Structures are given as C-alpha cells and as structure tokens.
Amino acid sequence: MLSIACLVGAAPSPVARRTTSADLAARGYAYTFDEYLTEYGKSYTGAEYEMRKCLFAQAMEKIKAHNTGTSSWKMGLSAHTDRMPSEWAQLKGYKRASASQGPTKSPLSAKPLRDLPDSIDWREKNVVTPVKDQEACGSCWAFSATETIESNVAIATGTLLTLAPQELVDCVPNPDECGGTGGCEGATQPIAFNWTVNHPMPLETSYPYKGRDGTCQLAKQGAAGIKGFEHLPANDYTSLMTAVATVGPVAISVDASWMMYESGVYDDASCGTTIDHAVQLVGYGTDGGVDYWLVRNSWGTGWGEEGYIRIKRFGEGNEPCGIDEHPDQGTGCKGGPSSMKVCGLCGILSDSSYATGGFVVE
C-alpha cells in the first residue's frame, strides 16, 4: 500500500480552471484522467498514478451525479480534484480558540437588518487583495487573519497592501496548543491578531509564502499593522451582518465540506458542523431570490468562483444549528469543551472576528 504520508503536498499549486462543469456536461462527462493531468500540469508514475486515477474517477462520478440533479450549485474540477482526504484536510488547519485567547464579545451594536444595505461586496471598494493559495499547509488561520488585516488597513488608510501570512506561520506562538502547535499544524485568527498588535506585518514581497513551517524572521520590516481586534458573539446572524456591512471583511470559521464546489449558491444541507477551516467573509447578496454570504477561500483562483464561494443564508431566526461533536478537530485547546453549538450552513456563524485600528508604517 502506498504511504499516505509520502504523498502529502504532492499536488502542484492550483491553476486557473479551463474545463468547466458546462464543458463536462457538453461532453457527456467523457473527460479522462490523462486529460486532467495535462490540463493542470500534473505528473505521476507507478502506484501513485493508479491511486490518483482512482481518486479522480470517484470525484468525476460525484460531479456527474450532482450536476445532473436539480441543485442550484455546481461541482467542478480544480487542481485539488485528485487529492486524498488527508490532503484535503491539509487545506484547512483552523483550530477554534478558547475564550481565554481574546475578546468574546464585540462592542459593535447590531443594527436592525432593515437599516443594512441589501448587498455588500468589499471587492468593489478596492480593499480586498487577490485570492491566495495556502498550498499543502494547514495555515488557513494565517490567511484568514492576514486578509482581514489587509482589508482593515485599506479601509482605514486608503492603501491596499499584500501582507505576508508566512510571518504568522513562522512566528506566532500557540502556547495553549489549540488543536495544534501553530504554523502548518493549525492555530486561530485571534492568536494572529494578538501577535500583529505588537508586530506590524511585512509585505509578501519581503517575506514570501513557502507553504511550510520556517524560521521566524523578526528582522523583516513591518509595513502595516492593527491596534486590536473584536470577537463577535457566537452564532449571531445580525451581528455578523452588521459587521460585514458597516466595518468591513470579517475572519470567519466553517466546516469546509464543499471541496468540489464550482459555482452557484451553495445550499447543501449535508454540510457539516465540525468547524475546521478559516476563511474571510467579504460580503453578502441575493441571487435569483436566494440570499447568500460571499466568502473568500485560500485554495487558489482555480477553485470555486475564482477562489470564492457563495453560501446560502437563511436569515435571522431561520439559520440551521447543530452540534460540533468533534472539538478536538476544531477547538482542541487544553481544557476545552467536549461539544459546541454552531449555527448557519456549514457553521458559518460559529466564530467570527475582525481587526481594528489598521495603520501603515511610515
């Protein structure tokens, strides 16, 4: 049997999608593994080739079955299509913080929903950097925090900078071992925010992302920072709507059971409640009468809608709730709870925070 550990990180970084779900349907889903390898610049030999081919075939069966149904959203191909479950897990890395790791309530006053705009997309205001790729490293927490800091700095100063998540991966300590030991082994956005309050972040160009743990280089010149952060009340629809509408993009947490998502408003009721991934909420809107959250992922532009996913929102008092029965995969802090209530599709309302006081280093 081929060792799983030997295959970690074997897949290259995602590239822009070429063959879409519409293309697959037009071809009757007659699309081969070798075509996929050529299209995404991949190459395998021997046992690994056969194993990846099998994974690809299973994925294609799921894509065809889903897309020939009546769902409002589509599954599709990406550079991740032939990954193993363990490799999909590496594309996550979120470990929800315990209450001791930062503020648990926000001073933000939730506004009546009728007073909020019908839609908001912070990309249109030039405060969101291009989609990033965390690669085979459980650093989603660092990307979610970095992206939210970038946006807060841009809103506060008018300067949009691309900052370096690698510094967070290399430098941010995780003394409570919240589901991991930091870096590619997982941490939380509040830990990253706390670090940045005292350590302005360098530019990506001066501290490039490597997709692996490295040695902390505090000598790097900081370019921008924040003065603090706020934690929204857990599972509070109106507070999250108010924050993203009036403050800016928000660091959120989800169960990322959406691996083969390509387009449309994701409404899969089977999306889980094990919170294992950190992403950025950049807005909300309505499409064809269906309300959605606009979420930025960190799996490259070849996944989803050019790196984004739209997730169905149900509204105040109507959001589905469940129990995270596996906090060791999400919370994992010493002395943490054995289960936690999470609300919203994929637990999207469960744990949200945003940066404050963004500034550029002169």
Side-chain angles (χ1 to χ4, degrees), residues 10 40 67 110 128 142 240 252:
Y40 285 89
N67 290 350
V128 177
L240 185 55
I252 62 171

Side-chain angles (χ1 to χ4, degrees), residues 203-284:
L203 296 173
E204 167 69 20
T205 52
S206 64
Y207 204 145
Y209 186 67
K210 297 180 179 178
R212 62 179 185 274
D213 294 325
T215 302
C216 182
Q217 302 179 51
L218 285 181
K220 296 290 186 181
Q221 177 63 45
I226 57 174
K227 295 180 180 179
F229 75 97
E230 301 295 345
H231 215 151
L232 293 173
N235 302 317
D236 191 316
Y237 177 87
T238 303
S239 291
L240 185 55
M241 285 282 288
T242 300
V244 73
T246 65
V247 176
V250 179
I252 62 171
S253 312
V254 296
D255 179 323
S257 297
W258 54 40
M259 283 81 78
M260 288 187 287
Y261 168 83
E262 179 191 270
S263 62
V265 178
Y266 184 82
D267 62 357
D268 193 340
S270 68
C271 193
T273 56
T274 299
I275 306 303
D276 56 10
H277 193 43
V279 288
Q280 185 188 38
L281 178 65
V282 301
Y284 59 82

Side-chain angles (χ1 to χ4, degrees), residues 98-113:
S98 66
S100 64
Q101 291 179 310
T104 56
K105 294 183 179 180
S106 169
L108 179 74
S109 296
K111 292 187 176 183
L113 295 175

Side-chain angles (χ1 to χ4, degrees), residues 43-233:
S43 178
Y44 306 114
T45 59
E48 184 177 4
Y49 175 90
E50 296 301 325
M51 183 273 292
R52 298 286 181 186
K53 183 176 182 180
C54 179
L55 290 170
F56 172 82
Q58 293 172 352
M60 283 292 291
E61 289 179 3
K62 291 180 180 179
I63 291 171
K64 180 179 180 180
H66 176 86
N67 290 350
T68 53
T70 59
S71 178
S72 64
W73 63 280
K74 298 297 184 182
M75 288 186 177
L77 301 169
S78 75
H80 307 298
T81 301
D82 63 349
R83 285 185 180 269
M84 295 181 296
S86 61
E87 292 172 319
W88 277 111
Q90 279 197 309
L91 290 176
K92 301 176 185 181
Y94 172 73
K95 311 297 177 183
R96 189 161 63 247
S98 66
S100 64
Q101 291 179 310
T104 56
K105 294 183 179 180
S106 169
L108 179 74
S109 296
K111 292 187 176 183
L113 295 175
R114 64 178 179 274
D115 294 341
L116 300 178
D118 292 335
S119 64
I120 184 79
D121 183 346
W122 286 99
R123 296 176 299 181
E124 297 173 352
K125 302 178 185 296
N126 195 35
V127 297
V128 177
T129 57
V131 169
K132 300 176 174 67
D133 178 11
Q134 70 183 77
E135 302 177 14
C137 168
S139 56
C140 61
W141 62 276
F143 280 80
S144 175
T146 298
E147 293 158 1
T148 305
I149 291 168
E150 291 170 342
S151 294
N152 180 256
V153 170
I155 292 169
T157 69
T159 301
L160 180 62
L161 301 173
T162 300
L163 302 176
Q166 186 67 44
E167 184 198 45
L168 303 181
V169 172
D170 291 351
C171 300
V172 174
N174 189 1
D176 291 332
E177 298 183 3
C178 292
T181 56
C184 290
E185 289 66 53
T188 71
Q189 302 105 311
I191 290 177
F193 290 148
N194 270 331
W195 168 269
T196 308
V197 168
N198 296 309
H199 303 87
M201 295 186 68
L203 296 173
E204 167 69 20
T205 52
S206 64
Y207 204 145
Y209 186 67
K210 297 180 179 178
R212 62 179 185 274
D213 294 325
T215 302
C216 182
Q217 302 179 51
L218 285 181
K220 296 290 186 181
Q221 177 63 45
I226 57 174
K227 295 180 180 179
F229 75 97
E230 301 295 345
H231 215 151
L232 293 173

Side-chain angles (χ1 to χ4, degrees), residues 72-73 113 116-120 237 241 261 264-268 281 283-295 305 309-320 344-345 348-349:
S72 64
W73 63 280
L113 295 175
L116 300 178
D118 292 335
S119 64
I120 184 79
Y237 177 87
M241 285 282 288
Y261 168 83
V265 178
Y266 184 82
D267 62 357
D268 193 340
L281 178 65
Y284 59 82
T286 303
D287 184 358
V290 179
D291 295 336
Y292 64 82
W293 303 103
L294 177 60
V295 176
E305 294 181 329
I309 180 172
R310 289 179 292 156
I311 300 174
K312 184 175 180 178
R313 57 186 172 94
F314 295 80
E316 181 63 52
N318 296 313
E319 294 290 328
L345 189 63
I348 196 170
L349 302 177

